[in-house]
Amino acid sequence: MDLPASLRDGSEGRKRLCRLAFNARYLSRALVKLGFITEGHDDSPIVPLMLFNPGKMCLFSRMMLERKVPIAVVVVGYPATPLVTSRVRFCLSAAHTKDDIDKLLRACDEIGTRLDLKHGLPKGERWSLEEVPERAVELVREG
């Protein structure tokens, strides 16, 4: 079987792993800077955002669907989680672009404000939605 050079030497795989690592770190750290509470490891391509209130799960899901975000959004609640630890999971891949993540962040910021989901960083320590994409590289490198 004749494979392209990038597949034979592993360079394509390394590029995808780097892109996936950037995507995961960028999304999880940006959500925190916007004031959300997230769980899990910064390097995981599954990024859980805590909703806490099971009554907000359907609203969050519906509002995300209306915005047609390009990243999979999965709401998870009881009995898969304890009753008060309802969450949404964003499922990333190396195929997602920074623009895809920025669209998701814009939707999260708007919905998070409307549904009162920002209980992480105090307001004075949060970054603005405009600041997050501008400082993406800094955000991914910190930590």
Side-chain angles (χ1 to χ4, degrees):
M1 176 176 3
D2 192 29
L3 293 173
S6 63
L7 294 178
R8 277 197 312 269
D9 67 11
S11 61
E12 177 65 24
R14 281 190 294 279
K15 283 182 199 172
R16 290 182 190 193
L17 285 172
C18 287
R19 203 167 32 239
L20 183 59
F22 175 89
N23 289 349
R25 289 179 195 139
Y26 178 45
L27 179 58
S28 63
R29 292 175 183 175
L31 287 168
V32 170
K33 291 294 187 185
L34 290 172
F36 293 99
I37 298 173
T38 63
E39 293 282 324
H41 196 279
D42 284 352
D43 290 332
S44 173
I46 307 299
V47 180
L49 181 148
M50 302 307 290
L51 300 179
F52 297 108
N53 183 335
K56 295 181 180 180
M57 287 175 24
C58 290
L59 276 172
F60 188 93
S61 179
R62 188 173 307 122
M63 292 170 90
M64 286 303 246
L65 278 172
E66 289 169 358
R67 285 157 182 80
K68 298 180 177 156
V69 294
I71 294 172
V73 177
V74 180
V75 291
V76 183
Y78 182 83
T81 67
L83 189 60
V84 294
T85 59
S86 302
R87 65 196 70 191
V88 60
R89 290 181 181 152
F90 301 110
C91 306
L92 295 168
S93 79
H96 289 115
T97 64
K98 182 180 172 294
D99 188 52
D100 292 335
I101 297 170
D102 290 340
K103 287 176 188 172
L104 178 70
L105 289 169
R106 279 191 296 277
C108 285
D109 189 61
E110 180 186 332
I111 294 167
T113 300
R114 288 183 67 190
L115 297 182
D116 189 31
L117 299 174
K118 297 179 183 182
H119 299 284
L121 289 176
K123 285 186 181 182
E125 295 177 31
R126 295 178 192 168
W127 289 10
S128 70
L129 184 59
E130 294 75 28
E131 191 175 6
V132 169
E134 291 172 5
R135 296 176 65 184
V137 173
E138 172 190 344
L139 193 58
V140 169
R141 286 188 179 156
E142 76 178 31

